Amino acid sequence: MSRKILLGAENIQQLSWGANNGCEAASLLEGLHYQHHALNMSYGQFLLDMPISSNANPYEGFGGSPFKNQPGDFEAIFVRPLMRWGSRYGRLQNLSGANPSWLYDAVGRGNPVVTFVTVHFEEPQWEDYPFGRVPVNNHAVLLDGIADGQVHVSDPIDGTYWLSSDKFERIYLARRMAIAVFQ
């Protein structure tokens, strides 16, 4: 990265809406709004439209409730159901499995990227569930800036900030889950 790009996507603070577990929807809506999609949708309305998995499997829909922790549930929604839902509002591309450079290229072309990381970019804390092994400190942020040795994110818990690309990549590469949001 030899250039500095900051898209300046909005920041939706999920906790101010009472959504302890709504990071994927917040990050996606930030990207959709940036691309001028779903502008009439508030975060609260967006959450109420989110598909919920009947068996709390984030590979099928949102597992549990974005508003409260439920024992045994994994309150998250992963890439495929998030793509199916989000595609109703705007153009998305699954970048899961991509090297970080692909994510940076998307941002360089003006397309923010929902990335699955961990809360506060801490090391993943893995646990087993009926649907597989996942980090219980799962989190999603919107990647909306790049610079030499740094990336910028709009984080639904911690706000907007720059962090080292090394730290971002280490946590992103633990799962390689991402969605680009297009105009």
Side-chain angles (χ1 to χ4, degrees), residues 40-176:
N40 61 335
M41 295 285 290
S42 72
Y43 177 53
Q45 293 167 314
F46 200 56
L47 283 174
L48 294 176
D49 190 47
M50 186 168 53
I52 305 296
S53 168
S54 62
N55 61 356
N57 183 338
Y59 290 102
E60 296 173 3
F62 194 88
S65 168
F67 300 104
K68 62 183 176 183
N69 293 330
Q70 299 171 337
D73 286 353
F74 188 76
E75 288 92 358
I77 183 171
F78 289 162
V79 172
R80 283 196 176 150
L82 191 62
M83 289 268 312
R84 278 192 305 272
W85 173 47
S87 292
R88 297 185 344 212
Y89 298 98
R91 290 185 42 231
L92 307 178
Q93 180 182 15
N94 187 345
L95 292 182
S96 294
N99 288 325
S101 63
W102 289 28
L103 310 183
Y104 304 152
D105 286 346
V107 171
R109 290 189 307 273
N111 303 307
V113 181
V114 176
T115 56
F116 286 73
V117 292
T118 57
V119 175
H120 313 304
F121 284 88
E122 295 172 350
E123 290 302 314
Q125 299 168 6
W126 299 95
E127 286 189 16
D128 293 314
Y129 283 81
F131 53 81
R133 188 167 176 79
V134 293
V136 293
N137 55 344
N138 173 70
H139 192 42
V141 300
L142 188 72
L143 178 67
D144 76 333
I146 54 174
D148 288 332
Q150 293 189 310
V151 299
H152 188 270
V153 297
S154 181
D155 183 328
I157 293 176
D158 292 326
T160 60
Y161 53 90
W162 290 93
L163 73 150
S164 79
S165 54
D166 288 342
K167 185 173 190 174
F168 170 81
E169 291 174 14
R170 188 176 73 252
I171 301 304
Y172 163 74
L173 289 169
R175 292 186 291 166
R176 293 179 180 246

